[in-house]
């Protein structure tokens, strides 16, 4: 009887081992299916990452091109700004020179009748440092006599006298 009991125990253990084997086989098949699914997801993720990398590289190229364009515009605007600064400096110099020339011309056109009065002192160095020696050596006696300025030029006076404003001749 012990042999029969041993066979029954052996048969029970074999059945248990077959059950464990089939359970492990089922778990392995699920694990294989999950690993395939995971491999597909990893492949699609890698594909998406490749697309994202390509998009980012294209954006980087666009940004680099834009930065090159912006740098070129900045250089151009700096050049224009420096040219404008130079032009403004030249305009300031010209305005100062014109103001100084006007002061010299006003000093040279002093009336000859006022020659007995002491001539006003004009600081030539402050008037125009670009004046020629001839202008510096001019004295008030060499200046033409002062003519009073007319309020309007001659041709304007003629036109005004000849015009008729509401029937009245001026």
């Amino acid at each position: 009887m012990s042999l029969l009991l041993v066979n029954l125990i052996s048969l029970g253990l074999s059945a248990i081992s077959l059950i464990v084997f089939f359970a492990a086989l089922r778990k392995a098949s699920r694990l294989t299916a999950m690993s395939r699914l995971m491999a597909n997801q990893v492949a699609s993720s890698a594909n998406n990452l490749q697309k994202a990398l390509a998009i980012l590289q294209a954006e980087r190229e666009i940004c680099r091109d834009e930065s090159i364009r912006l740098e070129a515009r900045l250089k151009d605007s700096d050049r224009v700004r420096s040219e404008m600064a130079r032009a403004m400096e030249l305009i300031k110099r010209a305005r100062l020179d014109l103001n100084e020339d006007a002061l010299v011309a006003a000093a040279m056109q002093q009336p000859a009748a006022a020659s007995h009065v002491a001539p006003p002192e004009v600081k030539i160095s402050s008037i125009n440092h670009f004046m020629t020696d001839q202008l510096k050596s001019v004295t008030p006696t060499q200046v033409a006599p002062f003519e009073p300025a007319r309020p309007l030029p001659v041709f304007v006076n003629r036109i005004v006298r000849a015009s008729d404003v509401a029937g009245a001749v001026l």
Side-chain angles (χ1 to χ4, degrees):
M1 210 170 127
S2 74
L3 189 58
L4 185 62
L5 189 60
V6 171
N7 279 339
L8 281 176
I9 293 175
S10 167
L11 182 66
L13 289 175
S14 295
I16 292 174
S17 69
L18 282 174
I19 291 172
V20 169
F21 175 74
F22 285 126
L25 189 62
R26 188 180 302 166
K27 292 271 185 182
S29 69
R30 280 191 213 154
L31 186 62
T32 304
M34 285 175 46
S35 65
R36 284 185 189 139
L37 183 64
M38 186 71 80
N40 287 338
Q41 287 178 351
V42 167
S44 68
S45 296
N47 190 20
N48 290 338
L49 285 175
Q50 287 293 334
K51 288 178 183 177
L53 180 65
I55 290 170
L56 288 175
Q57 285 176 343
E59 286 292 322
R60 185 177 139 237
E61 289 294 321
I62 290 170
C63 288
R64 189 178 68 185
D65 292 343
E66 284 296 320
S67 68
I68 290 171
R69 286 185 200 124
L70 287 175
E71 286 176 9
R73 287 181 185 169
L74 283 173
K75 286 179 185 177
D76 191 40
S77 66
D78 286 341
R79 179 185 55 82
V80 168
R81 186 181 303 124
S82 66
E83 287 177 3
M84 286 177 62
R86 276 189 240 127
M88 289 174 62
E89 184 64 32
L90 287 174
I91 289 171
K92 285 179 185 177
R93 282 190 207 155
R95 185 182 59 189
L96 289 174
D97 287 345
L98 285 174
N99 287 341
E100 291 169 356
D101 288 344
L103 289 175
V104 169
M108 289 175 55
Q109 292 181 355
Q110 294 293 329
S115 63
H116 63 279
V117 179
E121 292 187 22
V122 177
K123 294 182 182 178
I124 293 180
S125 62
S126 67
I127 291 176
N128 188 355
H129 60 292
F130 294 112
M131 288 182 9
T132 61
D133 291 332
Q134 295 171 355
L135 286 178
K136 289 180 183 177
S137 64
V138 171
T139 61
T141 58
Q142 295 174 341
V143 178
F146 178 73
E147 295 180 15
R150 296 183 182 181
L152 294 174
V154 175
F155 65 91
V156 175
N157 285 334
R158 287 183 192 147
I159 292 172
V160 170
R161 285 187 195 116
S163 67
D164 183 23
V165 180
V169 176
L170 297 175

